[in-house]
Every structure is written in C-alpha cells, then in structure tokens.
Amino acid sequence: MTYTKLLAGLAGSAFAFSVSATELVIATVNNGHMIEMQKLTPFFEKANPDIKLKWVTLEEGTLRQRVTTDIATKGGQFDVMTIGLYEAP
C-alpha cells in the first residue's frame, strides 16, 4: 500500500467518525516508514482543508500498550491507528 493510498483512506475515515470532523488523531509507531508518511501531512491537509492530522508517534511497545488500553476501555483517544503485521491477525 502506498502512502498516498493510506492517506486517502484517512480522509475516508474522517467521514466514518463524523461529517464535521476537523481533526484526526493518528497513533503510529516511531519508525522510518511512518515518519516518512507524516511528511505528507501538508499535502493531505491542502487537498482536504477541513481535516487536520494530529500524529501521536510512540515507540512500538508504548504504542501497543496505549492502543490496546484505548480499545479495551473504549477511550476513543485515537481515530486511526497504524499496526504492523504482528498485530494484524
């Protein structure tokens, strides 16, 4: 999946949460691929002026723990989460 396709998916996610959503909070791991994807934020926001992206970048173990807790408690802290192949199944 290309970064452009992933960011396009984020735009669709905004409407899944609320038509009036103006900020998407994205939890992601602190690795080169995700850092590179974050660099595309200005292009995404220019193409989608009503949507702002807020990245929460964490080390893998910390991200896993926070996302797991957020899902279990239905905290709603994150709108979008990136996961690795290990977590996908």
Side-chain angles (χ1 to χ4, degrees):
M1 176 180 286
T2 65
Y3 296 131
T4 305
K5 287 180 183 177
L6 183 56
L7 287 176
L10 294 178
S13 297
F15 296 108
F17 294 105
S18 171
V19 174
S20 63
T22 57
E23 180 179 75
L24 286 178
V25 180
I26 306 164
T28 191
V29 69
N30 186 18
N31 71 27
H33 292 212
M34 296 301 107
I35 299 301
E36 203 56 38
M37 186 171 63
Q38 289 176 46
K39 292 178 184 178
L40 298 173
T41 297
F43 302 103
F44 175 86
E45 290 179 346
K46 184 177 181 183
N48 302 277
D50 295 336
I51 303 171
K52 300 295 178 205
L53 303 181
K54 179 181 177 185
W55 295 89
V56 178
T57 307
L58 303 165
E59 295 301 321
E60 187 173 351
T62 304
L63 176 68
R64 184 178 294 117
Q65 181 181 24
R66 286 192 52 194
V67 166
T68 300
T69 300
D70 191 59
I71 291 170
T73 62
K74 298 180 182 176
Q77 184 176 5
F78 307 111
D79 299 308
V80 179
M81 299 162 226
T82 64
I83 61 172
L85 293 176
Y86 178 79
E87 288 86 7

